[in-house]
Amino acid sequence: MPIPEDVTGDEIDKDVRQELLSLPKTLAEDVAKNLVMVARLIDEDSEGAYGYSKVALRLASRVAAVREAAGFAAYATQRYSEALAEFRAARRMNGGVELWPVMADCERGLGRPEKALDMAGAPEVNKLDKAGQVEMRLVAAGARRDLGQLDAAIVTLQSPELAASSVQPWTARLRYAYADALLAAGREGEAREWFAKALEADRDGSTDASDRLAEMDGVDFVDALVEDETGETGKIDGTVVEAVEKADEVEDSAEDKAERDAVDRDED
C-alpha cells in the first residue's frame, strides 16, 4: 500500500521504536511507516488502517507492537475474533495486562458477555492502572446490558471515578455510559443530568452528549444556507431552528424600535 511522502516513520512512539530495533534498519523503517499509517487512519478510515496493519504484520509478525496495532485495526473494523487473536499474541510477547479490557470487549463483540464478566473479575484487573480499571468497568457494564441487566449495569458504573468532580481522560465516557444506562432504564431526569455532566467534561468531543441532550429536549437541527459578503452561498451544519428564529425576532424587534424612534424625532 502507498505511503505518503510526509510519513517518515519517526512519528511512532519511542517504545515502539525500541521494539523495532530488533529488525534490520530498512525493514524497521518500512514497518514504522505502516504503523504510522495505522494510527493516522484508524479513526477516520478504519478499513484503510486495517490494510496497513496487515502489511506491517506480514513484515514483522514477531514484534508485539505490530500485533497490538493489528489487533486495534481489526477491532475498529469489528473483526473481533481476529482482534482477540492479535491481542492475545501481543500479550504473550510482552507479558502486560494493558490489553485486558479491550480483549474483554472483543468477547462482547463475539456474543460472549458472560466471558467478558468473568474477565472483569479476574486478578489481571487489579494490575491495571486507573484508566484501565475504568475501561474494564465500562466493558463490564456493557456486558450487563447485553444480558438485559440494566440495574446491574447502572450499579457497575457507580464508582468513585464517576462521582469525582475532577475531570480525567475517561470522565466524559464514564458519565456518558452512566447516562445512557439510566435512560435505557427509563430514568430520564437523571439521564439528562448525567448527559449534561458528560458534555461538561467532554473536552475533545469523544461523545455525542450534546446531540443526546438536544434529542431529549426536543431540539431539531437543520442545515442552514447563508450568503456571505461575496454573495456566495455556504452551508452551516447543525443550526438550531429555535436559535435562528430567536435571532430573527431580535432583529425584527430592533428594526421596529428604530422606526418608532425615527417617527418620534420627526414629530418633535
Side-chain angles (χ1 to χ4, degrees):
M1 297 182 69
I3 303 291
E5 292 183 2
D6 64 320
V7 174
T8 66
D10 294 333
E11 302 90 341
I12 61 173
D13 182 88
K14 63 179 181 180
D15 293 334
V16 177
R17 188 179 300 112
Q18 186 69 28
E19 285 192 57
L20 296 181
L21 291 178
S22 62
L23 302 174
K25 183 178 179 180
T26 301
L27 179 59
E29 291 175 352
D30 289 342
V31 173
K33 290 178 181 179
N34 280 280
L35 292 181
V36 170
M37 293 305 298
V38 173
R40 177 180 288 190
L41 297 177
I42 197 163
D43 291 331
E44 303 297 331
D45 179 11
S46 57
E47 285 294 339
Y50 178 76
Y52 282 102
S53 76
K54 299 299 284 187
V55 175
L57 194 60
R58 187 174 66 250
L59 295 174
S61 62
R62 296 185 179 182
V63 176
V66 172
R67 303 302 289 265
E68 183 175 330
F72 277 110
Y75 177 80
T77 58
Q78 299 182 12
R79 294 176 169 93
Y80 296 118
S81 181
E82 186 176 336
L84 186 57
E86 296 300 342
F87 289 141
R88 285 173 174 167
R91 185 166 180 265
R92 284 195 301 270
M93 292 176 181
N94 62 26
V97 297
E98 297 81 7
L99 296 172
W100 196 253
V102 71
M103 290 169 64
D105 206 38
C106 286
E107 296 288 0
R108 285 187 60 213
L110 291 169
R112 301 193 291 248
E114 296 90 348
K115 178 61 177 176
L117 289 174
D118 288 342
M119 294 179 69
E124 284 82 354
V125 176
N126 296 325
K127 301 176 184 178
L128 294 169
D129 60 14
K130 181 62 68 176
Q133 290 179 0
V134 170
E135 195 65 35
M136 192 71 247
R137 190 178 292 275
L138 288 167
V139 173
R144 291 292 184 189
R145 291 190 62 172
D146 293 342
L147 294 169
Q149 301 170 1
L150 289 176
D151 290 340
I154 291 170
V155 171
T156 298
L157 294 168
Q158 292 171 344
S159 61
E161 293 80 20
L162 178 67
S165 57
S166 61
V167 175
Q168 302 296 334
W170 58 78
T171 301
R173 291 178 59 240
L174 183 59
R175 292 178 179 178
Y176 182 94
Y178 188 59
D180 196 45
L182 289 169
L183 186 61
R187 296 160 63 174
E188 294 187 5
E190 294 172 88
R192 193 197 183 287
E193 175 186 351
W194 282 97
F195 276 129
K197 290 181 178 181
L199 178 59
E200 184 180 83
D202 194 357
R203 296 170 177 171
D204 58 0
S206 61
T207 74
D208 64 347
S210 61
D211 293 340
R212 299 297 296 276
L213 278 170
E215 182 180 348
M216 292 186 73
D217 292 341
V219 177
D220 294 324
F221 290 87
V222 298
D223 292 333
L225 295 177
V226 296
E227 188 173 288
D228 61 21
E229 294 179 354
T230 66
E232 294 183 354
T233 300
K235 190 175 184 180
I236 299 178
D237 293 324
T239 303
V240 183
V241 173
E242 286 83 353
V244 174
E245 293 176 345
K246 183 65 176 177
D248 290 341
E249 291 172 3
V250 171
E251 183 178 353
D252 291 342
S253 177
E255 291 177 352
D256 291 343
K257 184 177 185 304
E259 291 178 1
R260 289 196 301 271
D261 290 344
V263 171
D264 292 339
R265 284 195 298 273
D266 290 339
E267 290 177 350
D268 290 341

